[in-house]
Amino acid sequence: GGCLVPLLTREAFVQALGRLGVPFVQCFAEADREIAGLANRWGCPVLSLDSDFCVFDLAAGYCPLSHFQWQSVCAGEGAQGCYVPARCFSVEKFCRHFSQLNRSLLPLFAVMNGNDYIDLAALEVFFSKVRLPRGWAAGKGGKHVRLQGLLNWLSQFAEPTEAVDNVLKHLKKHQREEVRELLCTSMEDYTPSDVNLEDFFQNGKYECEAARKADLPQWVLDALAKGKLAPFISDALMLRSTFLHVQVENMQRPSAHSTALPIRQVIYGLLLKVSQNTEAASPSKQTDELPAVCEFDRLQKTLKKTFVQAASLPTEFCNDHFPLDKLMEVPMSCRQMLLLETLGVKMSFLESIPSHLQLPVAVTCYWICCSEPKVKLHQLKALLLMIVSGELHRITNDPDPTVVRAEDDSIAYNEFLKWKEKKLQNKDFDLDAAHSFCQWQCCLQMGLYLNQLLCTPLSEPDLTRLYNGTLVHRMYQELKSTPSVENLFRSSPKMTQLYQVLLNMVES
């Protein structure tokens, strides 16, 4: 709905699913067809916000998430339990509404109106020439009247081929075959996939044609399906292109992602096999062997395409065969060293830090060294205080009954909640501070992806408790006017000590 979600939303969601024990699969290509296939196999409706599901032939229908009345939980009858009122869209009822339209014509209807992948300017000729029912005329009643007119026009045909022939009649002869091919290919996107996702949920096996053609190592395919690697990785590997998402940042400054460029180059080096020996090769051979990835990123308020060269890596990461095949065989100590060298931190420095915070702390050190403009001390302190507040939340809200909660931690947490409630009312906004925190999130995202690709030599942090943009912003502004906020957790010796350890380690 036009809102920007935080950069690490996907990762936080995957972690939440894992923590709640909800089984899920991350599809290799476009997920729509596979969702439709599984929904029909299981006789379930699809829950989504994607109107493409109005076009798929779904036996149990499509429930748009926007029509769930989450606040109105109703008591069911008998053994039914409770339910949330919602709406369910049915292709059958929809087609009945339009003169018994044949449901096999709906994909053609979707494609002719333009979807995510197709925008046929050539079809404007058709719309200008054909008489659509229901009094459609350009400029009268706008898009909905045109949609209704097209649906009524399509209802006169028995099947898609006949309708396509009638569309092409209105086009110039030299355009017809190309447009036919485009229409037919695009309509295939609306046929439920025959990938057996049920097999994944029962036996952990995910097999699809796109994955077979990709010729990727089995461990990479398994990790992608289980959400242990992000789509960013498969995009870089398969498409040689990646899309860097924009945040609420200072549009006059370079993109926040530029800070994390060296980390991304190491990721590309691992994926595209670049060894340090390549550099010694002859110049012509070198250009052949140093692959690049095309990145789409922000330049002020426009999108810019840049070719980024992959970093060359130590030879143990670049076997003669496809390097990813053997990545699991590289000793853990080497993988950890590559991660820490990329972030510019030694393991001896991190030993005093709790293991689940080692990666974010290493990323924070990297951020301080690589950010432009330089990170301010108040920004660093605000970030560390926020991390400590997440730790305090974790230990005071741990559901494990065997964990003994110290009273001073509970007191500190309640004091913090009172402070937070009062301070979060403040709506002041500092764009440069926000930009700096965006850079930290970009570094954390790529640090996380590199750690995952190296099979987690450092523990993965709990993102839901690690970062809160509004909170870190308020803490930064408060520190500027009231330095004593640094003592926010003074009631808890454990948290006070943690804050000092983090601050000393990062500053050193």
Side-chain angles (χ1 to χ4, degrees), residues 352-370:
S352 58
I353 309 289
S355 61
H356 62 284
L357 293 179
Q358 287 176 343
L359 182 61
V361 168
V363 162
T364 303
C365 295
Y366 172 92
W367 170 63
I368 288 172
C369 295
C370 300

Side-chain angles (χ1 to χ4, degrees), residues 255-441:
S255 159
H257 287 283
S258 52
T259 310
L261 175 64
I263 309 177
R264 293 198 300 279
Q265 287 178 297
V266 172
I267 292 173
Y268 302 152
L270 281 168
L271 294 173
L272 306 177
K273 188 187 179 185
V274 184
S275 90
Q276 284 170 352
N277 296 349
T278 313
E279 308 233 324
S282 65
S284 62
K285 198 170 175 212
Q286 189 174 326
T287 48
D288 289 344
E289 289 194 31
L290 280 178
V293 171
C294 171
E295 290 186 342
F296 290 88
D297 196 6
R298 173 185 74 73
L299 177 68
Q300 296 198 320
K301 289 185 183 179
T302 58
L303 266 185
K304 183 172 186 281
K305 194 162 115 174
T306 312
F307 286 91
V308 170
Q309 210 166 57
S312 54
L313 303 174
T315 45
E316 59 265 35
F317 290 96
C318 301
N319 303 289
D320 294 336
H321 191 48
F322 197 48
L324 287 184
D325 256 4
K326 306 282 188 251
L327 193 55
M328 304 287 249
E329 294 167 27
V330 175
M332 175 67 90
S333 56
C334 294
R335 285 183 271 137
Q336 191 181 78
M337 195 183 297
L338 178 65
L339 174 66
L340 293 177
E341 278 180 4
T342 304
L343 298 175
V345 178
K346 288 189 165 64
M347 193 60 209
S348 54
F349 274 102
L350 292 175
E351 274 158 3
S352 58
I353 309 289
S355 61
H356 62 284
L357 293 179
Q358 287 176 343
L359 182 61
V361 168
V363 162
T364 303
C365 295
Y366 172 92
W367 170 63
I368 288 172
C369 295
C370 300
S371 277
E372 194 54 57
K374 288 291 168 209
V375 175
K376 293 176 176 161
L377 183 58
H378 286 329
Q379 290 168 355
L380 168 63
K381 286 181 173 178
L383 190 78
L384 296 180
L385 284 168
M386 180 202 59
I387 290 173
V388 171
S389 75
E391 280 299 283
L392 189 56
H393 177 265
R394 187 177 66 81
I395 59 175
T396 50
N397 290 275
D398 195 320
D400 184 351
T402 59
V403 173
V404 181
R405 285 166 198 73
E407 196 179 334
D408 47 22
D409 289 339
S410 299
I411 293 168
Y413 187 58
N414 288 329
E415 283 174 359
F416 164 69
L417 287 179
K418 280 181 206 153
W419 176 89
K420 184 174 153 188
E421 200 175 332
K422 194 168 63 192
K423 294 302 174 186
L424 290 191
Q425 309 306 318
N426 177 0
K427 293 283 187 271
D428 290 347
F429 184 69
D430 180 326
L431 186 57
D432 284 329
H435 192 82
S436 189
F437 295 131
C438 285
Q439 290 176 323
W440 183 83
Q441 287 180 83

Side-chain angles (χ1 to χ4, degrees), residues 50-313:
D50 188 343
S51 59
D52 272 345
F53 288 112
C54 294
V55 177
F56 279 96
D57 193 356
L58 298 167
Y62 155 56
C63 297
L65 278 165
S66 48
H67 288 290
F68 277 77
Q69 298 168 35
W70 301 107
Q71 305 303 321
S72 313
V73 177
C74 303
E77 291 172 18
Q80 267 191 315
C82 298
Y83 66 90
V84 176
R87 287 184 179 183
C88 192
F89 171 89
S90 145
V91 162
E92 190 185 348
K93 282 187 185 173
F94 181 74
C95 289
R96 216 181 297 148
H97 185 75
F98 290 97
S99 317
Q100 300 294 345
L101 172 70
N102 184 335
R103 60 177 70 186
S104 68
L105 287 154
L106 281 181
L108 178 60
F109 162 70
V111 171
M112 286 179 71
N113 276 297
N115 60 8
D116 293 349
Y117 299 102
I118 188 164
D119 182 16
L120 282 174
L123 288 183
E124 284 308 317
V125 178
F126 160 79
F127 282 115
S128 66
K129 288 183 179 176
V130 75
R131 275 183 61 84
L132 293 178
R134 286 252 172 127
W136 176 79
K140 262 195 193 168
K143 196 176 176 187
H144 284 105
V145 179
R146 172 159 154 169
L147 295 179
Q148 286 189 321
L150 180 57
L151 284 161
N152 281 307
W153 182 82
L154 285 169
S155 68
Q156 65 187 297
F157 303 109
E159 43 84 41
T161 316
E162 187 189 347
V164 169
D165 289 341
N166 269 275
V167 170
L168 298 176
K169 255 186 351 197
H170 297 277
L171 307 187
K172 291 175 182 166
K173 279 186 180 165
H174 70 274
Q175 289 181 312
R176 288 177 189 172
E177 282 318 301
E178 187 189 348
V179 172
R180 183 194 300 277
E181 197 175 326
L182 256 176
L183 288 172
C184 294
T185 310
S186 304
M187 281 159 61
E188 283 170 19
D189 291 340
Y190 293 100
T191 51
S193 160
D194 53 6
V195 169
N196 186 359
L197 277 187
E198 191 173 30
D199 206 27
F200 175 82
F201 289 110
Q202 287 172 349
N203 312 312
K205 271 198 209 136
Y206 177 77
E207 288 177 10
C208 75
E209 198 181 342
R212 268 195 300 277
K213 283 181 183 165
D215 191 29
L216 298 181
Q218 193 56 48
W219 79 265
V220 173
L221 288 174
D222 291 344
L224 282 166
K226 289 172 181 165
K228 291 180 177 173
L229 288 175
F232 175 88
I233 298 294
S234 51
D235 287 350
L237 198 50
M238 308 282 307
L239 308 174
R240 292 277 177 103
S241 82
T242 54
F243 191 91
L244 305 173
H245 291 276
V246 179
Q247 302 173 78
V248 180
E249 51 190 276
N250 187 340
M251 295 296 190
Q252 302 314 309
R253 291 197 186 280
S255 159
H257 287 283
S258 52
T259 310
L261 175 64
I263 309 177
R264 293 198 300 279
Q265 287 178 297
V266 172
I267 292 173
Y268 302 152
L270 281 168
L271 294 173
L272 306 177
K273 188 187 179 185
V274 184
S275 90
Q276 284 170 352
N277 296 349
T278 313
E279 308 233 324
S282 65
S284 62
K285 198 170 175 212
Q286 189 174 326
T287 48
D288 289 344
E289 289 194 31
L290 280 178
V293 171
C294 171
E295 290 186 342
F296 290 88
D297 196 6
R298 173 185 74 73
L299 177 68
Q300 296 198 320
K301 289 185 183 179
T302 58
L303 266 185
K304 183 172 186 281
K305 194 162 115 174
T306 312
F307 286 91
V308 170
Q309 210 166 57
S312 54
L313 303 174

Side-chain angles (χ1 to χ4, degrees), residues 19-40:
R19 197 166 52 243
L20 294 167
V22 177
F24 69 93
V25 61
Q26 181 171 272
C27 294
F28 190 75
E30 207 32 55
D32 293 6
R33 295 184 61 224
E34 298 189 10
I35 291 168
L38 185 65
N40 283 343

